[in-house]
Amino acid sequence: MSELRFAAVSSVGRVREVNEDSLLARDGLFVVADGMGGHAAGDVAGALAVKVMAGLASPDILQVDDIADAVRRANEAILSRTFVSPETSGMGTTLTGLAQVRIGGVEHWAVFNVGDSRVYRLVDNELRQLTIDHSEVQELVAAGRITPEEARDHPDRHVITRSLGAVPIEPDVWLLPAHTGERFLLCSDGLTDEVEDMEIAAILGSGSPQDAAQNLVAAAEAAGGHDNITVIVVDVVADFRSWDRIDDTTSPRLPRVGDS
Ligand code: MG
């Protein structure tokens, strides 16, 4: 497994009374869920989703298909809770995350997403958003009808087009090899609504994961803190890619003399 260093900070912000964001940060598995504002019991939906994701296997045996399965189970858990507790009807949550998985014995990152919480990757001071928002404004941007700058102030910027708790859903999942020196950021929209990507890159680029996470949340609070703010920062201190550490069962086998 890669050696990781990470930190998580979640804040209610400066306006809301309840923090409906939930998070999970453990070695090899990181999740942010943003229970939906305006819906009943958003904090319940987010916490339920995170609880199901926490049941995922450890990274040395986790397969990429396990992730989509767990996201589907999280969705079903929210739907069943809504069924037995009608007062939670309409609750929902985003879910985004980063998980170490093994593919052919080699370690990769799986990045997954439903909704508009985000995963970013910072390498050599270049910030790249890895997830694609499931939102009305993202669709307008993709169609070339508005610019990313216009999306920031668009009246429908909080309308998401995919979430847990509504109908059967599929997460988007991306795979990338792990590299020493990369830094990941997972966050809810309480950060990205308040702080632009350029400033996020500048803050994320310095200090320990704990420093960066605290400074990002502080920047979102200083900008107004209108929503709950959740940030997880993950550093890959040393990656696992050396061939001699790949386990025997996945090493290429040389044909033996006599084999047909
Ligand atoms: Mg939010």
Side-chain angles (χ1 to χ4, degrees):
M1 273 175 54
S2 290
E3 189 186 338
L4 307 176
R5 205 166 288 149
F6 55 89
V9 178
S10 187
S11 162
V12 69
R14 296 176 64 187
V15 174
R16 303 271 175 97
E17 288 182 353
V18 178
N19 191 346
E20 295 187 329
D21 287 356
S22 296
L23 70 89
L24 171 68
R26 73 174 196 217
D27 225 8
L29 180 62
F30 306 93
V31 177
V32 168
D34 180 351
M36 258 157 320
H39 288 223
D43 52 335
V44 177
L48 255 177
V50 163
K51 189 175 163 198
V52 172
M53 299 310 287
L56 277 169
S58 65
D60 51 332
I61 55 167
L62 189 63
Q63 304 290 310
V64 67
D65 288 346
D66 298 339
I67 292 169
D69 286 346
V71 174
R72 282 185 220 109
R73 282 202 309 278
N75 190 46
E76 285 158 16
I78 294 168
L79 287 169
S80 347
R81 176 69 68 87
T82 307
F83 188 70
V84 296
S85 314
E87 73 280 5
T88 64
S89 173
M91 71 175 175
T93 186
T94 72
L95 185 70
T96 199
L98 178 69
Q100 279 184 328
V101 294
R102 298 288 290 273
I103 300 170
V106 180
E107 189 168 87
H108 284 71
W109 286 111
V111 174
F112 52 98
N113 182 52
V114 176
D116 66 352
S117 301
R118 293 179 181 172
V119 179
Y120 290 87
R121 178 172 179 258
L122 184 77
V123 183
D124 298 331
N125 290 317
E126 193 190 329
L127 185 73
R128 189 162 297 174
Q129 185 180 332
L130 300 178
T131 51
I132 298 169
D133 293 349
H134 300 130
S135 67
E136 296 249 338
V137 291
Q138 175 57 40
E139 289 181 8
L140 293 172
V141 169
R145 292 175 54 193
I146 60 171
T147 64
E149 293 69 39
E150 288 168 333
R152 293 190 65 80
D153 300 317
H154 197 281
D156 292 337
R157 66 186 179 280
H158 293 121
V159 179
I160 60 176
T161 51
R162 218 189 290 183
S163 63
L164 271 66
V167 290
I169 48 95
E170 286 297 315
D172 289 336
V173 182
W174 296 268
L175 288 171
L176 48 158
H179 291 286
T180 298
E182 61 192 348
R183 172 171 274 191
F184 292 95
L185 165 68
L186 289 77
C187 61
S188 60
D189 64 347
L191 174 70
T192 50
D193 274 358
E194 304 284 10
V195 187
E196 297 203 26
D197 281 6
M198 282 216 349
E199 193 184 347
I200 290 177
I203 298 170
L204 190 61
S206 73
S208 67
Q210 185 71 39
D211 294 338
Q214 282 172 344
N215 292 339
L216 286 166
V217 169
E221 286 173 341
H226 297 89
D227 192 4
N228 310 141
I229 308 146
T230 297
V231 166
I232 304 176
V233 177
V234 183
D235 277 356
V236 180
V237 179
D239 63 286
F240 162 102
R241 280 188 304 155
S242 68
W243 288 98
D244 58 351
R245 290 177 62 193
I246 293 178
D247 51 23
D248 291 341
T249 54
T250 53
S251 297
R253 284 177 205 171
L254 295 171
R256 283 173 304 183
V257 175
D259 279 2
S260 55

